[in-house]
Every structure is written in C-alpha cells, then in structure tokens.
Amino acid sequence: MRLLVGLGNPGSKYESTRHNVGFAAVDAAARAAGADDWRVWGKSLVCKGSLAGAPLLFAKPQTYMNLSGEAVQALMTFYKIAPADVAVATDDVTLPLGSLRLRASGGHGGHNGLRDIIARVGEAFPRIRIGVGLCPPGRDLAAFVLARLSPAEQTALAPVIGEFPAILETVLTKGWDLASTRHGRRAEA
C-alpha cells in the first residue's frame, strides 16, 4: 500500500486557503481513485482507494500544519509503509501560482509541515509542491498562506488540482522521474 498525504489545516476556517491546497489535491485524487468515505484514524482523516491497480491510503493530517509529521509517522508505523511509498502534497510559496514541482526526496524548503515530517521520518519521501504564489514583499508570510484564495487564484490552481490523478497514475506506473518530467510545470511569476 502507498500513502498520499495532503498537508493543510483542519476546519472550515482554513478551507480554500493557500495552506490547504494539499488537502484539495488529495481530495481530487481520492475521488478519482474511487475511495471510500473519509473517516477519522488517529490524528488524520483517511480513506482508501486504488489507482492504476495500486492500493492507496489517502490522508489529511488533522494536527495543523506544523505538527504534520506526528500524523504521518503514526500512519507509516501502523500500516508499515516505507518512506519511498509515501508522497506528500503541499503548498509552496517559493513557486509561482499554478507551478508544480515533483521530487523523490529532498529538504523542507522552509515549509513547517515538511520540516516536521522530515524531523520524524527523514527526507527520503517524495513530495509534490504546488505553487501558491510568492508572498508579496512586506506581507506577513503566515497571513499570506492562511488567506483565502481569490476566485482568480482558484481558477489558476484548478488545472493543477485536476491533474493530480494523472500525476499519481504516472508515478505508480512509470516512476517519479518520468512523472516529474511529464507533469512538473513552471507558471509565469
């Protein structure tokens, strides 16, 4: 079984914010995979489905962003999932809105959710970074990522979120290198 984790913050207060695009991506992938209903498991919402013949566990940690590693580590331990079989979808404020970067491993790039996961399970897990735009100079970064996306921003992100099932299918059938080449994109800043 493989685990796809979308990072975000729980609750309606955070819906449609930049920080919750990981949740949106995992929701889209779970729908495409014919997943069962979301249910509470430990400190996450989880559901199961399959894509390209591979069983998948989808998760949305409910620990709030900065403690995401706690939920991810618990899922990996219970289901005996190796880091290479985990993928984390998250927002990225260093990428222009609508950009997509796939990596088989790496650092946290200043992202606190990734930082906590790395602290608990190491760096050897793939990540899918979704560009939510660059934080304007002088604006508080926390306020920027917790702000709701405008309708225009949501429209710009819709193709990336909609492409998530195809990205996962490429990963599952062809691997991360080909998925990165085929689906990675750089939007205009």
Side-chain angles (χ1 to χ4, degrees), residues 28 54 56 59 70 72 77 82 123 129 150 173 180 182 185-186:
L56 295 168
E70 186 177 333
V72 172
T77 301
E123 292 183 350
R129 295 174 180 254
S150 71
T173 59
S180 181
R182 184 175 289 169
R185 73 165 124 240
R186 182 93 175 157

Side-chain angles (χ1 to χ4, degrees), residues 40-103:
V40 175
W41 186 96
K43 295 183 178 184
S44 296
L45 292 177
V46 299
C47 62
K48 293 179 182 177
S50 65
L51 202 58
L56 295 168
L57 177 64
F58 300 93
K60 297 188 288 187
Q62 301 295 289
T63 53
Y64 292 91
M65 185 66 76
N66 294 353
L67 298 175
S68 297
E70 186 177 333
V72 172
Q73 182 181 37
L75 288 163
M76 290 174 66
T77 301
F78 182 81
Y79 287 98
K80 296 177 178 46
I81 299 173
D85 290 328
V86 176
V88 176
T90 188
D91 62 293
D92 191 317
V93 297
T94 67
L95 296 175
L97 183 68
S99 294
L100 192 62
R101 183 174 294 156
L102 289 78
R103 296 286 184 262

Side-chain angles (χ1 to χ4, degrees), residues 135-141:
C135 184
R139 183 153 182 208
D140 178 66
L141 181 60

Side-chain angles (χ1 to χ4, degrees), residues 88-183:
V88 176
T90 188
D91 62 293
D92 191 317
V93 297
T94 67
L95 296 175
L97 183 68
S99 294
L100 192 62
R101 183 174 294 156
L102 289 78
R103 296 286 184 262
S105 65
H108 57 74
H111 192 284
N112 288 334
L114 290 175
R115 183 185 323 247
D116 193 57
I117 296 170
I118 289 168
R120 294 171 189 268
V121 304
E123 292 183 350
F125 62 91
R127 67 243 22 225
I128 304 166
R129 295 174 180 254
I130 303 166
V132 294
L134 310 176
C135 184
R139 183 153 182 208
D140 178 66
L141 181 60
F144 179 72
V145 297
L146 296 177
R148 292 196 187 274
L149 294 159
S150 71
E153 291 169 324
Q154 289 180 23
T155 298
L157 282 171
V160 175
I161 301 302
E163 188 179 351
F164 243 73
I167 292 168
L168 285 181
E169 195 163 334
T170 303
V171 166
L172 294 168
T173 59
K174 306 290 184 188
W176 281 98
D177 289 340
L178 183 62
S180 181
T181 301
R182 184 175 289 169
H183 299 284

